């Protein structure tokens, strides 16, 4: 496995692979690997013989008040784990390599970021779209793998690939969870043991919503109210959003009825547990 740190080295490596007629798969990450990241690598390795994992804590997707400076890291461990998964290259650039002095070009979507996480993280998706565009131009992948844990991000990347005519196949990987249902996240490391218990409110509330809708509840306002009360019953929690929406447009759904409701539906939640902001989601198919 090679560790490459500059844009020119990475581009030259990719050109060489393509000249040999091979395809490249990219898994973009911010590091501090858990089983979720490793599942993306496994999937990528099955699709392409040459797998590039980028490890870059992207400053432009964090607001001033967020956790850029404290984001967890363990590069030595990450390198070992990636090597075990058969990764060909870890691309680990410096911030200056990606954002040189006088950098001023950003990629911004007009509609999808105006929902869910974009409402409380105003610069987040501009940062994500910009860094992923740059990674696509640097790594030149044929395939890129993203987790549905960050569902809005996945939809934004899919839209961006269409809008900007990238010839890159986007592959989705399901959410990997701890045994008790908590979605794996690098940020789970911030939780105290008591907060870790409260963090279960996210996955449990999604199960609850699905059960209510399966039993025939058609008013999304009723489902959301029930979830709000449920989540509030856990200590240390503060709700950012509870959403029941169309998975493609991310527009909120009013009442669920078979005639005009998008099917499937996305149920998504974001909750602060202490100072840690956690997200989770679930796709459901009402009436099926
Ligand atoms: P991050 O390092 O948090 O930016 O995540 C890198 C990639 O891993 C993104 O495509 C995430 O959606 C994906 N990912 C993060 N957590 C999980 C998880 N629990 N299950 C599946 N994919 C995940």
């Amino acid at each position: 496995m090679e560790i490459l740190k500059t844009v020119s080295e990475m581009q030259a490596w990719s050109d060489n692979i393509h000249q040999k007629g091979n395809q490249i798969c990219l898994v973009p990450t911010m590091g501090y690997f858990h089983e979720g990241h490793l599942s993306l690598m496994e999937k990528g390795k099955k699709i392409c013989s040459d797998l590039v994992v980028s490890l870059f804590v992207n400053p432009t997707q964090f607001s001033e008040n967020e956790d850029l400076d404290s984001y967890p890291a363990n590069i030595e461990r990450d390198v070992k784990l990636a090597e075990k998964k058969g990764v060909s290259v870890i691309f680990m650039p410096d911030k200056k390599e990606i954002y040189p002095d006088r950098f001023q070009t950003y990629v911004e979507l007009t509609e999808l970021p105006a929902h869910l996480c974009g409402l409380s993280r105003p610069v987040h998706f501009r940062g994500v779209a910009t860094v992923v565009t740059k990674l696509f131009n640097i790594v030149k992948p044929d395939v890129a793998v993203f987790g549905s844990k960050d569902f809005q991000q996945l939809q934004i990347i899919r839209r961006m690939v269409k809008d900007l005519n990238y010839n890159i196949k986007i592959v989705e990987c399901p959410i990997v969870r701890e045994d008790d249902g908590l979605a794996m996240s690098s940020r789970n490391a911030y939780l105290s043991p008591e907060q870790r218990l409260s963090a279960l409110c996210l996955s449990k509330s999604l199960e609850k919503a699905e059960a209510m809708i399966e039993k025939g509840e058609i008013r999304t306002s009723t489902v959301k109210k029930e979830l709000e009360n449920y989540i509030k019953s856990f200590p240390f929690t503060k709700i950012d959003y509870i959403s029941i929406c169309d998975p493609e447009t991310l527009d909120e759904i009013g009442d669920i009825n078979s005639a005009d409701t998008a099917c499937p539906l996305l149920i998504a939640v974001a909750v602060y547990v202490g100072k840690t902001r956690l997200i989770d989601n679930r796709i459901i198919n009402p009436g099926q």
Side-chain angles (χ1 to χ4, degrees), residues 28-30 34 36-37 40 71 146-147 149-150 174-176 184:
T29 81
M30 297 206 299
H34 50 66
H37 295 114
L40 269 56
Y71 199 80
F146 293 86
K149 156 92 187 332
D150 299 275
I175 302 176
V176 177
M184 289 194 184

Side-chain angles (χ1 to χ4, degrees), residues 32-167:
Y32 207 65
F33 295 155
H34 50 66
E35 290 296 327
H37 295 114
L38 301 182
S39 75
L40 269 56
M41 295 177 208
E42 270 167 30
K43 180 90 141 217
K45 192 70 196 168
K46 281 191 192 136
I47 304 171
C48 294
S49 54
D50 282 291
L51 177 60
V52 176
V53 172
S54 61
L55 197 168
F56 181 63
V57 181
N58 175 34
T60 61
Q61 70 189 65
F62 290 79
S63 300
E64 296 250 314
N65 59 339
E66 292 183 329
D67 57 343
L68 174 62
D69 295 334
S70 56
Y71 199 80
N74 187 341
I75 290 177
E76 220 173 284
R77 178 173 172 272
D78 285 353
V79 167
K80 282 191 196 137
L81 288 171
E83 190 145 36
K84 266 199 211 147
K85 287 290 164 197
V87 169
S88 320
V89 170
I90 294 204
F91 178 52
M92 212 188 305
D94 270 2
K95 292 195 173 88
K96 274 268 184 287
E97 187 69 14
I98 297 296
Y99 299 110
D101 288 344
R102 295 195 297 279
F103 180 88
Q104 53 194 287
T105 308
Y106 290 90
V107 178
E108 201 157 9
L109 288 85
T110 51
E111 290 171 26
L112 286 173
H115 298 81
L116 308 178
C117 296
L119 296 174
S120 57
R121 307 190 71 192
V123 300
H124 179 66
F125 290 114
R126 182 179 86 147
V128 168
T130 302
V131 80
V132 172
T133 300
K134 286 176 69 75
L135 289 170
F136 284 174
N137 295 334
I138 297 165
V139 178
K140 307 180 207 190
D142 303 277
V143 178
V145 186
F146 293 86
S148 53
K149 156 92 187 332
D150 299 275
F151 192 86
Q152 185 174 16
Q153 167 175 285
L154 174 67
Q155 296 303 59
I156 282 175
I157 304 294
R158 283 186 167 134
R159 187 69 254 164
M160 193 181 92
V161 162
K162 279 192 197 129
D163 290 350
L164 299 182
N165 306 103
Y166 274 112
N167 190 14

Side-chain angles (χ1 to χ4, degrees), residues 113-237:
H115 298 81
L116 308 178
C117 296
L119 296 174
S120 57
R121 307 190 71 192
V123 300
H124 179 66
F125 290 114
R126 182 179 86 147
V128 168
T130 302
V131 80
V132 172
T133 300
K134 286 176 69 75
L135 289 170
F136 284 174
N137 295 334
I138 297 165
V139 178
K140 307 180 207 190
D142 303 277
V143 178
V145 186
F146 293 86
S148 53
K149 156 92 187 332
D150 299 275
F151 192 86
Q152 185 174 16
Q153 167 175 285
L154 174 67
Q155 296 303 59
I156 282 175
I157 304 294
R158 283 186 167 134
R159 187 69 254 164
M160 193 181 92
V161 162
K162 279 192 197 129
D163 290 350
L164 299 182
N165 306 103
Y166 274 112
N167 190 14
I168 298 172
K169 184 175 179 215
I170 302 301
V171 172
E172 172 177 355
C173 265
I175 302 176
V176 177
R177 297 177 179 282
E178 303 285 356
D179 288 344
D180 60 5
L182 178 67
M184 289 194 184
S185 164
S186 306
R187 290 190 170 99
N188 292 348
Y190 296 144
L191 301 169
S192 70
E194 296 79 17
Q195 290 170 343
R196 171 68 183 74
L197 286 175
S198 281
L200 280 182
C201 70
L202 285 100
S203 57
K204 288 201 162 139
S205 67
L206 296 174
E207 280 170 23
K208 206 175 177 60
E210 179 166 21
M212 284 177 81
I213 293 167
E214 252 175 25
K215 273 199 197 131
E217 180 56 68
I218 61 156
R219 282 160 304 187
T220 54
S221 55
T222 306
V223 178
K224 286 185 199 173
K225 190 72 210 161
E226 178 83 14
L227 261 51
E228 186 185 329
N229 291 335
Y230 180 70
I231 292 170
K232 279 183 177 163
S233 74
F234 288 76
F236 316 109
T237 58

